Amino acid sequence: MDTNRTINFNYKLWAIILVAQFLLFYALSKFPGAINFFSKLFEWKKNVHTALFSAETISVGDLIYILLASGILILFLLSIIKRNKAYLKKILIALNIFYLVYQCSWGMLYFQPPIINHLKKRNIQNSEIEALTLQYLDTCRSQRALLREDSNGVFKVINYKAIQQEILNQQIRLPKTISNKKPVSILDVKSSLFGSLMSETGILGYYNPFTAEAQYNPDVPSTQLPFTIAHEMAHQLGFAREQEASFIGFLCAKQSASLELQYSANLYALKSLIRAIAMTDEAFAKHIIQSYSEPMKRDRAYEVRFGKKHSGMISDFFGVTNDLFLKSNQQDGSITYSYFVNLLILYHE
Ligand SMILES: [Zn+2]
């Protein structure tokens, strides 16, 4: 009777500690000093953390996720079968540790001052987006003509290791006005163990905050994969926000010597611009897509086929959800372009 009461108390205590952690980190996210501390902590541990599992060819982070998920599931089932709260206590302890490590090593970085603070903010005109779209269309058309294809005439990257190394080299040369982060000196980019699952959900890659590994889905089309890797590697530098990681990945690709990397990033920029244009001028957006070169059209058709084959969750330009989003955006008369497009336009000044 007494031990039961102790277990009950213990398990409630760990639940309370977890809630207290949520509140604590929420409160800390409001203090610039605290955010700065976690940014500094990340900088300090970055190289060691990245080196830690870089020698393993297999993704250690994915193994940890699998073990953790199955461990929690087993404990949960045991708690039901044996009607014993001691198992729930173990789950709560694991969640507490998991959450604490996550927030200290990554979560707080989402509250860092945004990159846009380093650029001169102003209103963006539609005409600017149109002009930049045409410019990127032109660049993509001419770059694509020089690239390798597979037997179906679709763009194909052979050597991903070289691209990863190139991104690492370019991270050192990021403009100091935009990034004051220390470069990572070790390559730690791995193919995910959840490749097919990722294809089904449209996930191209992710960063593992526990092992600092940059993960990618190896099945993704060559048009998207080099840029995806640049994006995940930007997370390794300490850029947590999605659109900022894309922007940093884009900058690395932009100044790179690898044409494959450049094309993949320029195509991403082009698609983002088309999506922005589609908000106000769908006809112009469609016209741009129709003006793709023949090889670019084959690449796009391959991306669409890949998306459709895998439940079609990889968003198409004019998908229903996107369309609804755009319409709701236009209703209030003001248009908010994606943060990436904002950064891109301001950077081009
Ligand atoms: Zn990301």
Side-chain angles (χ1 to χ4, degrees), residues 205 231-232 235 242 245:
H231 168 108
E232 302 311 332
H235 283 318
E242 283 308 298

PDB file of all heavy atoms in Angstrom, residues 205 231-232 235 242 245, ligand 1:
ATOM      1  N   GLY A 205      14.488  16.160 -45.810  1.00  0.00           N
ATOM      2  CA  GLY A 205      15.635  16.001 -44.922  1.00  0.00           C
ATOM      3  C   GLY A 205      15.312  16.537 -43.546  1.00  0.00           C
ATOM      4  O   GLY A 205      14.260  17.133 -43.338  1.00  0.00           O
ATOM      5  N   HIS A 231      20.570  22.997 -47.073  1.00  0.00           N
ATOM      6  CA  HIS A 231      19.633  23.464 -46.045  1.00  0.00           C
ATOM      7  C   HIS A 231      19.907  22.760 -44.705  1.00  0.00           C
ATOM      8  O   HIS A 231      20.035  23.408 -43.667  1.00  0.00           O
ATOM      9  CB  HIS A 231      18.202  23.194 -46.537  1.00  0.00           C
ATOM     10  CG  HIS A 231      17.141  23.356 -45.493  1.00  0.00           C
ATOM     11  ND1 HIS A 231      16.253  24.400 -45.473  1.00  0.00           N
ATOM     12  CD2 HIS A 231      16.813  22.588 -44.426  1.00  0.00           C
ATOM     13  CE1 HIS A 231      15.441  24.278 -44.452  1.00  0.00           C
ATOM     14  NE2 HIS A 231      15.748  23.174 -43.779  1.00  0.00           N
ATOM     15  N   GLU A 232      20.033  21.448 -44.737  1.00  0.00           N
ATOM     16  CA  GLU A 232      20.269  20.698 -43.490  1.00  0.00           C
ATOM     17  C   GLU A 232      21.622  21.068 -42.879  1.00  0.00           C
ATOM     18  O   GLU A 232      21.772  21.129 -41.663  1.00  0.00           O
ATOM     19  CB  GLU A 232      20.186  19.189 -43.715  1.00  0.00           C
ATOM     20  CG  GLU A 232      18.865  18.679 -44.282  1.00  0.00           C
ATOM     21  CD  GLU A 232      17.635  19.206 -43.561  1.00  0.00           C
ATOM     22  OE1 GLU A 232      17.722  19.519 -42.365  1.00  0.00           O
ATOM     23  OE2 GLU A 232      16.584  19.330 -44.222  1.00  0.00           O
ATOM     24  N   HIS A 235      21.442  24.122 -40.839  1.00  0.00           N
ATOM     25  CA  HIS A 235      20.976  23.849 -39.470  1.00  0.00           C
ATOM     26  C   HIS A 235      22.171  23.498 -38.583  1.00  0.00           C
ATOM     27  O   HIS A 235      22.239  23.908 -37.431  1.00  0.00           O
ATOM     28  CB  HIS A 235      19.993  22.681 -39.452  1.00  0.00           C
ATOM     29  CG  HIS A 235      18.608  23.034 -39.925  1.00  0.00           C
ATOM     30  ND1 HIS A 235      17.963  24.195 -39.566  1.00  0.00           N
ATOM     31  CD2 HIS A 235      17.732  22.348 -40.702  1.00  0.00           C
ATOM     32  CE1 HIS A 235      16.759  24.218 -40.127  1.00  0.00           C
ATOM     33  NE2 HIS A 235      16.593  23.113 -40.823  1.00  0.00           N
ATOM     34  N   GLU A 242      13.376  27.392 -40.431  1.00  0.00           N
ATOM     35  CA  GLU A 242      13.382  26.715 -41.726  1.00  0.00           C
ATOM     36  C   GLU A 242      13.801  27.631 -42.881  1.00  0.00           C
ATOM     37  O   GLU A 242      14.673  27.306 -43.668  1.00  0.00           O
ATOM     38  CB  GLU A 242      11.994  26.132 -42.016  1.00  0.00           C
ATOM     39  CG  GLU A 242      11.719  24.857 -41.248  1.00  0.00           C
ATOM     40  CD  GLU A 242      12.815  23.829 -41.434  1.00  0.00           C
ATOM     41  OE1 GLU A 242      13.022  23.386 -42.573  1.00  0.00           O
ATOM     42  OE2 GLU A 242      13.482  23.490 -40.450  1.00  0.00           O
ATOM     43  N   ALA A 245      17.416  28.672 -42.743  1.00  0.00           N
ATOM     44  CA  ALA A 245      18.321  27.586 -43.156  1.00  0.00           C
ATOM     45  C   ALA A 245      18.335  27.506 -44.683  1.00  0.00           C
ATOM     46  O   ALA A 245      19.381  27.305 -45.297  1.00  0.00           O
ATOM     47  CB  ALA A 245      17.877  26.267 -42.546  1.00  0.00           C
TER      48      ALA A 245
HETATM   49 ZN    ZN B   1      15.049  22.302 -42.023  1.00  0.00          ZN
END
